[in-house]
Amino acid sequence: MKKVLVIGNGMVGYKFCEKLRAKASGEEISVVVYGEEPIPAYDRVHLSEFFENQSAEKLYMAPRSWYEENGIALKTSQLVTKIDRSAQYIETHTGEREHYDYLILATGSSAMVPPIKGVDKKGVFVYRTIEDLEHIIAYAQHVKRGAVLGGGLLGLEAAKALIDLNLEAQVIEFAPRLMPRQLDDAGSNMLKSKIEALGIEILTNKSTKEIHGNGKLDKLEFSDGSSLETDMLVISCGIVSRDELAKTCDLETGPRGGFVVNDHMQTNDPNIFAIGEAANYKGMVYGLVAPGYDMAETVVDQLVGQQTKRFTGADMSTKLKLIGVDVGSFGDALGQTEGSIPIAFEDKNSGVYKRINLSADKKKLLGGVLVGDCSDYSMLLQITQNGMAVPPNPEDLILGARGAGGGNAIGDLPDSAQICSCENVTKAAIVSAIKDDGIIDLKEIRTCTKAGTGCGACSPMVGDIVSATLKSMGQTVRKTLCAHFDYTRQELYSLIKIKEIKSFNELLDLYGSGDGCETCKPAVASLLASIWNEPILKQDTIQDTNDRFLANIQKGGSYSVVPRVPGGEITPDKLIVIGQVAKKYDLYTKITGGQRIDMFGAKLNDLPKIWRELIDAGFESGHAYGKSLRTVKSCVGSTWCRYGLHDSVSFAIEIENRYKGLRSPHKLKGAVSGCRRECAEAQGKDFGLIATEIGYNIYVCGNGGANPQHAKLLAGDVDEKTAIKYLDRFLMFYIRTAEPLNRTAVWLNKLEGGIDYLREVVVNDCLGIGEELEKDMQSLIAAYHCEWRAAVENEEMKNKFRHFANSDADDPNLQFVPMREMKKPADWD
């Protein structure tokens, strides 16, 4: 029986054990694992989640019992200090010796600490292990300011952690831009603006010369002569391979660190292998888990006698949710291939930047950068990796198809396409599990193939492949919410309502698993709000920034205030109040397309005071920040217009007041036009009414956004009472059945039977649920409350509207410049 020792119990060390046990039992190969930390292997990719729950167990790759059940001896708190290659044994810091037949070096890496004078002062930390995070949390309780040295992936995560610990935070980056290896200038600027909007100051082109302080740091001095006062410093400047054991046994290391290995991951000793961040392959140390897992599988094949697999390098494409922002880079992200042609799209309003790089002949996709929207990442990566043809209009890859032949689909992927790079799972393996093994449940697919169980970036594409394969087999597809809930949104809607569930944690405990994610948290928050219409701040920990602060966060980090103005009708007294408030708090004002007045530039700590003055004048929240009813636009109708057939203003006000506060899968906009001249543009809204000689025509599911779509006629010539009944049914049916973040237009396009089926449900009540839908709507209307009023009249809630946890001071980072007698945010650079 072969005896294998593994030095290092990180993610790659654990994955080696898992892969080995899948191919060899304890009777064939015995395994002993030495870990320097006192706990089993844990997920460093999601290390930042420790700040949220401070539970190491929730990050474990597997509990200790897993090692015991698989016949693996796990020895923690053991630092291996010596390797004797001739006698084939290792020795620990306690003097323990263990012999081996094969030795696996999975020692990983340590944080790279620059040789800065004063780096040993109190208050300086690295960001690498759970123990590091525990020290950071403890120290943060006694300081107000914190800085992070390093603007890469981990550095930005560390900065977000400092914000969550209620500290002022700065990021210091030596390079001229954030994430310089993954993002170009425009992508980095977009990311920078989003991070600054969270209150994190970004300092680029800064080289730290010295850390000052009497025993503990109080200031950073930079090489350009400038300085930064801070109480705490977290260093996240990269990694250094843990290859110190090489000196004890003459193993070869690379010039920049790491045990030098060949294609089989063997060092210069054929019985010693190195994997993960400890390995140096052709001068490269890979800092991602996917290459480490591939290395582990290569070594397992050597040990079980297959010896067919070789490690030939790895793709460094990556996608992650960074501080709540989607960021992705793939292939030749920066367009360094000679002759490459870039195509870029930038939307500063919505915070989206996309860039793809084409080959010189415009036939192949070389790589790209995505910031703010990574929904197409998986497919773009596959097109790049598999050399698939680009569409006739390559810009469709980032703008969306605008005609026939506009893009690629799941069915176009070759069977050999690597869907999950962490576990090296191909499309063929997923399809085979479905067709050959009869597995149709997405959760079981992940368990069987391991696809999506690593970093999770491939999970959306795994779901798409499962859906496409099942559809090709003529089977019904259940689109579950995410990996944490094995239910569709519609099923969760029913469970929440029937079981009277009022919180995310309660739903997760009863029907979910894990801790939740960026997909399910806001989706569940939307469901809870749509069903119970309780104050949205009860769910603030799972909401995005806008709902959390009852205002839209704007460029530069300020907020907008939009009071409700039903139907666009407003009295002179209320106009005066808006002017007085805007003048008092120095707000930029603008009439919106939905006939309201938007006030921009509000400071977070001023929001409750602004709301108080508006509420006292009779205003309410306009819900401009929520996935809810925004406005019901109207023309002046028969009251003033010589063409008007009906009083469109009064009807628009009635409808807006009826549905105000209604939460839904996406925002809702309505309109009422007093005649067929259509001045309110009702056919471009989620629901619209156009006056006829004998009543109103009802149009639904229009969209005037990035992909305009005319609304469809639901019913014609109905009176006002019937129109409201149909709107009640339509809106509740949409709320019940739409997927998260689907506008009504998208929902209707996906609805089998389209507008004809919708008409049968709403008008003809073919499902027999008409009265039930009306009753549900009436319950939501009865539960209406002004969210601004709820916030300002509750001291606990009001205290959340402060930039600093321990101070009412303004955010000093907000900067504005004059514009047309008002102001605007200063440019990002």
Coordinates of all heavy atoms in Angstrom, one line a residue, residues 310-391:
R310 N -1.8 15.5 -18.2 CA -0.7 16.4 -18.0 C -1.3 17.8 -17.8 O -2.3 18.2 -18.3 CB 0.2 16.5 -19.3 CG 1.0 15.2 -19.5 CD 1.7 15.3 -20.9 NE 2.5 14.1 -21.1 CZ 3.8 13.9 -20.8 NH1 4.4 14.9 -20.2 NH2 4.4 12.8 -21.0
F311 N -0.5 18.6 -17.0 CA -0.9 20.0 -16.8 C -0.1 20.8 -17.8 O 1.1 20.7 -17.9 CB -0.5 20.4 -15.4 CG -0.9 21.9 -15.1 CD1 -2.2 22.2 -14.7 CD2 0.1 22.9 -15.1 CE1 -2.6 23.5 -14.4 CE2 -0.3 24.2 -14.8 CZ -1.6 24.5 -14.5
T312 N -0.9 21.6 -18.6 CA -0.3 22.4 -19.7 C -0.5 23.9 -19.5 O -0.4 24.6 -20.5 CB -0.8 21.9 -21.0 OG1 -2.3 22.1 -21.0 CG2 -0.5 20.5 -21.3
G313 N -0.8 24.3 -18.3 CA -1.1 25.7 -18.1 C -2.6 25.9 -17.9 O -3.4 24.9 -17.9
A314 N -3.0 27.1 -17.6 CA -4.4 27.4 -17.3 C -4.8 28.8 -17.8 O -4.0 29.7 -17.9 CB -4.7 27.2 -15.8
D315 N -6.1 28.9 -18.1 CA -6.7 30.2 -18.5 C -6.9 31.0 -17.2 O -7.3 30.5 -16.2 CB -8.0 29.9 -19.2 CG -8.7 31.2 -19.6 OD1 -8.1 31.9 -20.4 OD2 -9.8 31.5 -19.0
M316 N -6.5 32.2 -17.3 CA -6.6 33.1 -16.1 C -7.9 34.0 -16.1 O -8.0 35.0 -15.4 CB -5.4 34.0 -16.0 CG -4.1 33.2 -15.7 SD -4.2 32.2 -14.2 CE -3.9 33.5 -13.0
S317 N -8.9 33.6 -16.9 CA -10.1 34.4 -16.9 C -10.8 34.2 -15.6 O -10.7 33.2 -14.9 CB -11.1 33.8 -18.0 OG -10.5 33.9 -19.3
T318 N -11.4 35.3 -15.2 CA -12.1 35.3 -13.9 C -13.3 36.2 -13.8 O -13.4 37.2 -14.5 CB -11.1 35.8 -12.8 OG1 -11.7 35.7 -11.5 CG2 -10.7 37.2 -13.0
K319 N -14.3 35.7 -13.1 CA -15.5 36.5 -12.9 C -15.9 36.5 -11.4 O -15.8 35.4 -10.8 CB -16.7 35.9 -13.7 CG -18.1 36.5 -13.3 CD -19.1 35.8 -14.2 CE -20.5 36.1 -13.7 NZ -20.9 35.4 -12.4
L320 N -16.2 37.6 -10.8 CA -16.6 37.6 -9.4 C -17.5 38.8 -9.1 O -17.6 39.7 -9.9 CB -15.3 37.7 -8.6 CG -14.5 39.0 -8.6 CD1 -13.6 39.1 -7.4 CD2 -13.6 39.0 -9.8
K321 N -18.2 38.7 -8.0 CA -19.0 39.8 -7.5 C -18.1 40.5 -6.5 O -17.9 40.1 -5.4 CB -20.2 39.3 -6.8 CG -21.1 40.4 -6.2 CD -21.9 41.1 -7.3 CE -23.1 40.3 -7.8 NZ -24.0 41.0 -8.6
L322 N -17.5 41.7 -7.0 CA -16.6 42.4 -6.2 C -17.3 43.6 -5.5 O -17.7 44.5 -6.2 CB -15.4 42.9 -7.1 CG -14.2 43.5 -6.5 CD1 -13.5 42.4 -5.7 CD2 -13.3 44.0 -7.5
I323 N -17.4 43.6 -4.2 CA -18.1 44.6 -3.5 C -19.4 44.9 -4.1 O -19.8 46.1 -4.2 CB -17.2 45.9 -3.4 CG1 -15.7 45.6 -3.1 CG2 -17.7 46.9 -2.4 CD1 -14.8 46.8 -3.0
G324 N -20.2 43.9 -4.4 CA -21.5 44.1 -5.0 C -21.5 44.5 -6.5 O -22.5 44.7 -7.0
V325 N -20.3 44.5 -7.1 CA -20.2 44.9 -8.5 C -19.7 43.7 -9.3 O -18.7 43.1 -9.0 CB -19.2 46.0 -8.7 CG1 -19.2 46.4 -10.2 CG2 -19.6 47.2 -7.8
D326 N -20.4 43.3 -10.4 CA -20.0 42.3 -11.3 C -18.7 42.7 -12.0 O -18.7 43.8 -12.7 CB -21.1 41.9 -12.3 CG -22.1 41.0 -11.7 OD1 -21.7 40.1 -10.8 OD2 -23.3 41.1 -12.0
V327 N -17.7 41.9 -12.0 CA -16.4 42.2 -12.7 C -16.0 40.9 -13.3 O -16.0 39.8 -12.7 CB -15.3 42.7 -11.7 CG1 -14.0 42.9 -12.5 CG2 -15.8 44.0 -11.0
G328 N -15.6 41.0 -14.6 CA -15.1 39.8 -15.3 C -14.1 40.2 -16.3 O -14.1 41.3 -16.9
S329 N -13.1 39.3 -16.5 CA -12.1 39.5 -17.6 C -11.8 38.1 -18.1 O -11.7 37.1 -17.4 CB -10.8 40.2 -17.1 OG -10.1 39.4 -16.2
F330 N -11.6 38.0 -19.4 CA -11.4 36.7 -20.0 C -10.5 36.8 -21.2 O -10.5 37.8 -21.9 CB -12.8 36.0 -20.4 CG -13.6 36.9 -21.4 CD1 -13.5 36.7 -22.8 CD2 -14.4 37.9 -20.9 CE1 -14.3 37.4 -23.6 CE2 -15.2 38.7 -21.8 CZ -15.1 38.4 -23.1
G331 N -9.8 35.7 -21.5 CA -8.9 35.6 -22.7 C -7.9 36.8 -22.6 O -7.4 37.2 -21.6
D332 N -7.7 37.3 -23.8 CA -6.8 38.5 -24.0 C -7.6 39.7 -23.6 O -8.1 40.5 -24.5 CB -6.3 38.6 -25.4 CG -5.3 39.8 -25.6 OD1 -5.0 40.4 -24.6 OD2 -5.0 40.1 -26.8
A333 N -7.8 39.9 -22.3 CA -8.7 41.0 -21.8 C -8.3 42.4 -22.2 O -9.1 43.2 -22.5 CB -8.8 40.9 -20.3
L334 N -7.0 42.6 -22.3 CA -6.5 44.0 -22.6 C -6.1 44.2 -24.0 O -5.5 45.2 -24.4 CB -5.3 44.3 -21.7 CG -5.5 44.1 -20.1 CD1 -4.3 44.5 -19.4 CD2 -6.7 45.0 -19.7
G335 N -6.4 43.2 -24.9 CA -6.1 43.4 -26.3 C -4.7 43.5 -26.7 O -4.3 44.4 -27.5
Q336 N -3.9 42.6 -26.1 CA -2.4 42.7 -26.3 C -2.0 41.9 -27.6 O -0.8 42.0 -28.0 CB -1.7 42.2 -25.1 CG -1.9 43.1 -23.9 CD -1.3 42.5 -22.6 OE1 -1.3 41.3 -22.4 NE2 -1.0 43.4 -21.7
T337 N -2.9 41.2 -28.2 CA -2.6 40.4 -29.4 C -2.4 41.4 -30.5 O -3.2 42.3 -30.7 CB -3.7 39.4 -29.7 OG1 -3.9 38.6 -28.6 CG2 -3.4 38.6 -31.0
E338 N -1.4 41.2 -31.3 CA -1.1 42.1 -32.4 C -2.3 42.2 -33.4 O -2.8 41.2 -33.9 CB 0.2 41.7 -33.1 CG 0.6 42.7 -34.2 CD 1.9 42.3 -34.9 OE1 2.6 41.3 -34.4 OE2 2.3 42.9 -35.9
G339 N -2.7 43.4 -33.7 CA -3.7 43.6 -34.7 C -5.1 43.4 -34.1 O -6.1 43.5 -34.9
S340 N -5.3 43.2 -32.8 CA -6.6 43.0 -32.3 C -7.4 44.3 -32.4 O -6.9 45.4 -32.4 CB -6.5 42.6 -30.8 OG -6.0 43.6 -30.0
I341 N -8.8 44.1 -32.5 CA -9.7 45.2 -32.7 C -10.6 45.3 -31.5 O -11.4 44.3 -31.3 CB -10.5 45.0 -34.0 CG1 -9.5 44.9 -35.2 CG2 -11.4 46.2 -34.2 CD1 -10.2 44.4 -36.5
P342 N -10.6 46.3 -30.8 CA -11.5 46.5 -29.6 C -12.9 47.0 -30.0 O -13.0 47.9 -30.9 CB -10.7 47.4 -28.7 CG -10.0 48.3 -29.6 CD -9.6 47.5 -30.8
I343 N -13.9 46.5 -29.3 CA -15.2 47.1 -29.4 C -15.7 47.3 -28.0 O -15.7 46.4 -27.2 CB -16.2 46.2 -30.1 CG1 -15.8 45.9 -31.6 CG2 -17.6 46.8 -30.1 CD1 -16.7 44.9 -32.3
A344 N -16.1 48.6 -27.7 CA -16.4 48.9 -26.3 C -17.7 49.6 -26.2 O -18.2 50.3 -27.1 CB -15.3 49.8 -25.7
F345 N -18.4 49.3 -25.1 CA -19.7 50.0 -24.7 C -19.6 50.5 -23.3 O -19.2 49.8 -22.4 CB -20.8 49.0 -24.9 CG -22.1 49.4 -24.2 CD1 -22.9 50.4 -24.9 CD2 -22.5 48.9 -23.0 CE1 -24.1 50.8 -24.3 CE2 -23.7 49.4 -22.4 CZ -24.5 50.3 -23.1
E346 N -20.0 51.7 -23.1 CA -19.9 52.3 -21.8 C -21.2 53.1 -21.5 O -21.6 53.9 -22.3 CB -18.7 53.3 -21.7 CG -18.5 53.9 -20.3 CD -17.2 54.7 -20.3 OE1 -16.8 55.3 -21.3 OE2 -16.6 54.7 -19.2
D347 N -21.8 52.8 -20.4 CA -23.0 53.5 -19.9 C -22.8 54.0 -18.5 O -23.0 53.2 -17.5 CB -24.2 52.5 -20.0 CG -25.5 53.2 -19.6 OD1 -25.5 54.4 -19.1 OD2 -26.6 52.5 -19.7
K348 N -22.4 55.2 -18.4 CA -22.0 55.8 -17.1 C -23.3 55.9 -16.2 O -23.2 55.9 -15.0 CB -21.3 57.1 -17.2 CG -19.9 57.0 -17.8 CD -19.2 58.3 -17.8 CE -17.8 58.2 -18.4 NZ -17.0 59.5 -18.4
N349 N -24.4 56.1 -16.8 CA -25.7 56.2 -16.1 C -26.0 55.0 -15.3 O -26.3 55.0 -14.1 CB -26.8 56.5 -17.0 CG -28.1 56.7 -16.3 OD1 -28.2 57.5 -15.3 ND2 -29.1 56.0 -16.7
S350 N -25.9 53.8 -15.9 CA -26.2 52.5 -15.2 C -24.9 51.9 -14.7 O -25.0 50.8 -14.0 CB -26.9 51.6 -16.1 OG -26.2 51.3 -17.3
G351 N -23.7 52.4 -14.9 CA -22.5 51.9 -14.4 C -22.1 50.6 -15.1 O -21.7 49.6 -14.4
V352 N -22.2 50.5 -16.4 CA -21.9 49.3 -17.1 C -20.8 49.6 -18.1 O -20.9 50.6 -18.9 CB -23.1 48.7 -17.9 CG1 -22.7 47.6 -18.8 CG2 -24.1 48.2 -16.8
Y353 N -19.8 48.8 -18.2 CA -18.7 48.9 -19.2 C -18.4 47.5 -19.7 O -18.3 46.5 -19.0 CB -17.4 49.5 -18.6 CG -16.2 49.5 -19.6 CD1 -16.2 50.4 -20.6 CD2 -15.2 48.5 -19.4 CE1 -15.1 50.3 -21.5 CE2 -14.2 48.5 -20.3 CZ -14.1 49.4 -21.3 OH -13.1 49.3 -22.2
K354 N -18.4 47.4 -21.1 CA -18.1 46.1 -21.7 C -17.2 46.4 -22.9 O -17.3 47.3 -23.6 CB -19.4 45.5 -22.3 CG -20.5 45.2 -21.2 CD -21.7 44.5 -21.9 CE -22.8 44.2 -20.8 NZ -23.9 43.5 -21.4
R355 N -16.2 45.5 -23.0 CA -15.2 45.6 -24.1 C -14.9 44.2 -24.5 O -14.7 43.3 -23.7 CB -13.9 46.2 -23.6 CG -12.8 46.1 -24.6 CD -11.5 46.7 -24.1 NE -10.4 46.3 -24.9 CZ -9.2 46.9 -24.8 NH1 -9.0 47.8 -23.9 NH2 -8.2 46.5 -25.6
I356 N -14.9 44.0 -25.9 CA -14.4 42.7 -26.4 C -13.3 43.0 -27.4 O -13.3 44.1 -28.0 CB -15.6 41.9 -27.1 CG1 -16.3 42.8 -28.2 CG2 -16.5 41.4 -26.1 CD1 -17.3 42.0 -29.0
N357 N -12.4 42.1 -27.6 CA -11.3 42.2 -28.5 C -11.4 41.2 -29.6 O -11.5 40.0 -29.3 CB -10.0 42.1 -27.8 CG -9.9 43.1 -26.7 OD1 -10.1 44.3 -26.9 ND2 -9.5 42.6 -25.5
L358 N -11.5 41.6 -30.9 CA -11.6 40.7 -32.0 C -10.2 40.5 -32.6 O -9.3 41.3 -32.6 CB -12.5 41.3 -33.1 CG -14.0 41.6 -32.7 CD1 -14.7 42.2 -33.8 CD2 -14.7 40.4 -32.1
S359 N -10.1 39.3 -33.3 CA -8.9 39.1 -34.1 C -8.8 40.0 -35.2 O -9.8 40.7 -35.6 CB -8.8 37.6 -34.6 OG -10.0 37.4 -35.4
A360 N -7.6 40.1 -35.8 CA -7.4 41.1 -36.9 C -8.3 40.8 -38.1 O -8.7 41.8 -38.8 CB -5.9 41.1 -37.4
D361 N -8.7 39.6 -38.3 CA -9.6 39.2 -39.4 C -11.1 39.3 -39.0 O -12.0 39.0 -39.8 CB -9.3 37.9 -40.0 CG -9.5 36.7 -39.0 OD1 -9.9 37.0 -37.8 OD2 -9.1 35.6 -39.3
K362 N -11.3 39.7 -37.8 CA -12.7 40.0 -37.2 C -13.5 38.7 -37.2 O -14.7 38.7 -37.1 CB -13.4 41.0 -38.1 CG -12.7 42.3 -38.2 CD -13.5 43.3 -39.0 CE -12.8 44.6 -39.2 NZ -13.5 45.6 -40.1
K363 N -12.9 37.5 -37.2 CA -13.6 36.3 -37.2 C -13.6 35.6 -35.8 O -14.4 34.7 -35.6 CB -13.0 35.3 -38.2 CG -13.2 35.8 -39.7 CD -12.6 34.8 -40.7 CE -12.8 35.2 -42.1 NZ -12.3 34.3 -43.1
K364 N -12.7 35.9 -34.9 CA -12.6 35.3 -33.7 C -12.6 36.3 -32.5 O -12.2 37.4 -32.6 CB -11.3 34.4 -33.6 CG -11.2 33.4 -34.6 CD -12.2 32.3 -34.5 CE -12.1 31.2 -35.6 NZ -13.2 30.2 -35.5
L365 N -13.2 35.8 -31.4 CA -13.2 36.6 -30.2 C -11.9 36.3 -29.4 O -11.7 35.1 -29.0 CB -14.4 36.4 -29.4 CG -14.6 37.1 -28.1 CD1 -14.7 38.6 -28.3 CD2 -15.9 36.7 -27.3
L366 N -11.1 37.3 -29.0 CA -9.9 37.0 -28.3 C -10.0 37.2 -26.8 O -9.3 36.5 -26.0 CB -8.8 38.0 -28.8 CG -8.4 38.0 -30.3 CD1 -7.4 39.0 -30.6 CD2 -7.9 36.6 -30.7
G367 N -10.9 38.0 -26.3 CA -11.1 38.2 -24.9 C -11.9 39.5 -24.7 O -12.4 40.1 -25.6
G368 N -11.9 39.9 -23.4 CA -12.7 41.1 -23.1 C -12.7 41.4 -21.6 O -12.2 40.7 -20.8
V369 N -13.4 42.5 -21.3 CA -13.6 43.0 -20.0 C -15.1 43.4 -19.7 O -15.7 43.9 -20.6 CB -12.7 44.3 -19.8 CG1 -13.1 45.0 -18.5 CG2 -11.2 44.0 -19.8
L370 N -15.6 43.0 -18.6 CA -17.0 43.3 -18.2 C -17.0 43.9 -16.8 O -16.4 43.4 -15.9 CB -17.8 42.1 -18.2 CG -17.9 41.3 -19.6 CD1 -18.6 40.0 -19.3 CD2 -18.6 42.1 -20.6
V371 N -17.7 45.1 -16.7 CA -17.8 45.7 -15.4 C -19.3 46.1 -15.2 O -19.8 46.8 -16.1 CB -16.9 46.9 -15.2 CG1 -17.2 47.6 -13.8 CG2 -15.4 46.5 -15.3
G372 N -19.9 45.7 -14.1 CA -21.3 46.1 -13.9 C -22.4 45.2 -14.4 O -23.5 45.2 -13.9
D373 N -22.0 44.4 -15.4 CA -23.0 43.4 -16.0 C -22.2 42.3 -16.6 O -21.6 42.4 -17.6 CB -23.9 44.1 -17.0 CG -24.8 43.1 -17.7 OD1 -24.9 42.0 -17.2 OD2 -25.5 43.5 -18.7
C374 N -22.2 41.2 -15.9 CA -21.4 40.0 -16.4 C -22.4 38.9 -16.8 O -22.0 37.7 -16.8 CB -20.5 39.5 -15.3 SG -19.0 40.5 -15.0
S375 N -23.6 39.2 -17.2 CA -24.6 38.2 -17.5 C -24.2 37.4 -18.7 O -24.5 36.2 -18.9 CB -26.0 38.8 -17.8 OG -25.9 39.9 -18.8
D376 N -23.3 38.0 -19.6 CA -22.9 37.3 -20.8 C -21.5 36.7 -20.7 O -21.0 36.1 -21.7 CB -22.9 38.2 -22.0 CG -24.3 38.7 -22.4 OD1 -25.2 37.9 -22.3 OD2 -24.4 39.9 -22.7
Y377 N -20.9 36.7 -19.5 CA -19.6 36.3 -19.3 C -19.3 34.8 -19.7 O -18.4 34.5 -20.5 CB -19.2 36.4 -17.8 CG -17.8 35.8 -17.5 CD1 -16.6 36.5 -17.7 CD2 -17.7 34.5 -16.9 CE1 -15.4 35.9 -17.4 CE2 -16.5 34.0 -16.6 CZ -15.4 34.7 -16.8 OH -14.2 34.1 -16.5
S378 N -20.2 33.9 -19.2 CA -19.9 32.5 -19.5 C -19.9 32.2 -21.0 O -19.1 31.5 -21.5 CB -21.0 31.6 -18.8 OG -20.9 31.8 -17.4
M379 N -20.9 32.8 -21.7 CA -21.0 32.5 -23.2 C -19.8 33.1 -23.9 O -19.2 32.5 -24.8 CB -22.3 33.0 -23.7 CG -22.4 32.7 -25.2 SD -22.3 31.0 -25.7 CE -23.8 30.3 -25.1
L380 N -19.4 34.4 -23.5 CA -18.3 35.0 -24.2 C -17.0 34.2 -23.9 O -16.2 34.1 -24.8 CB -18.1 36.5 -23.6 CG -19.2 37.4 -24.0 CD1 -19.1 38.8 -23.3 CD2 -19.3 37.7 -25.5
L381 N -16.8 33.7 -22.7 CA -15.7 32.9 -22.4 C -15.6 31.6 -23.3 O -14.6 31.3 -23.8 CB -15.7 32.5 -20.9 CG -14.6 31.6 -20.5 CD1 -13.2 32.2 -20.7 CD2 -14.7 31.2 -19.0
Q382 N -16.8 31.0 -23.4 CA -16.9 29.8 -24.3 C -16.6 30.1 -25.7 O -15.9 29.3 -26.4 CB -18.2 29.1 -24.1 CG -18.5 28.6 -22.8 CD -17.6 27.5 -22.4 OE1 -17.0 26.7 -23.3 NE2 -17.3 27.3 -21.1
I383 N -17.1 31.2 -26.2 CA -16.8 31.6 -27.6 C -15.3 31.8 -27.8 O -14.7 31.4 -28.8 CB -17.5 32.9 -28.0 CG1 -19.1 32.6 -28.0 CG2 -17.1 33.4 -29.4 CD1 -19.9 33.9 -28.1
T384 N -14.6 32.4 -26.8 CA -13.2 32.7 -26.9 C -12.4 31.3 -26.8 O -11.5 31.1 -27.6 CB -12.8 33.6 -25.7 OG1 -13.5 34.8 -25.8 CG2 -11.3 33.9 -25.8
Q385 N -12.7 30.5 -25.8 CA -12.0 29.3 -25.6 C -12.1 28.3 -26.7 O -11.2 27.5 -27.0 CB -12.4 28.7 -24.3 CG -11.9 29.5 -23.1 CD -12.3 28.8 -21.8 OE1 -13.3 28.1 -21.7 NE2 -11.6 29.1 -20.7
N386 N -13.3 28.2 -27.3 CA -13.6 27.2 -28.4 C -13.4 27.7 -29.8 O -13.7 27.0 -30.7 CB -15.0 26.7 -28.1 CG -15.1 25.9 -26.8 OD1 -14.6 24.8 -26.7 ND2 -15.8 26.5 -25.9
G387 N -13.0 29.0 -29.9 CA -12.8 29.5 -31.3 C -14.0 29.6 -32.1 O -14.0 29.4 -33.3
M388 N -15.2 29.8 -31.4 CA -16.4 29.8 -32.2 C -16.5 31.1 -33.0 O -16.0 32.1 -32.7 CB -17.6 29.8 -31.2 CG -17.6 28.5 -30.4 SD -18.7 28.5 -28.9 CE -20.3 28.7 -29.7
A389 N -17.3 31.0 -34.1 CA -17.5 32.2 -35.0 C -18.2 33.3 -34.2 O -19.2 33.0 -33.5 CB -18.2 31.8 -36.2
V390 N -17.9 34.5 -34.5 CA -18.6 35.6 -33.9 C -19.8 36.0 -34.9 O -19.7 35.6 -36.1 CB -17.7 36.9 -33.7 CG1 -16.6 36.6 -32.8 CG2 -17.1 37.4 -35.1
P391 N -20.8 36.6 -34.4 CA -22.0 36.9 -35.3 C -21.6 38.0 -36.3 O -20.5 38.6 -36.2 CB -23.0 37.5 -34.3 CG -22.2 37.9 -33.1 CD -21.0 37.0 -33.0

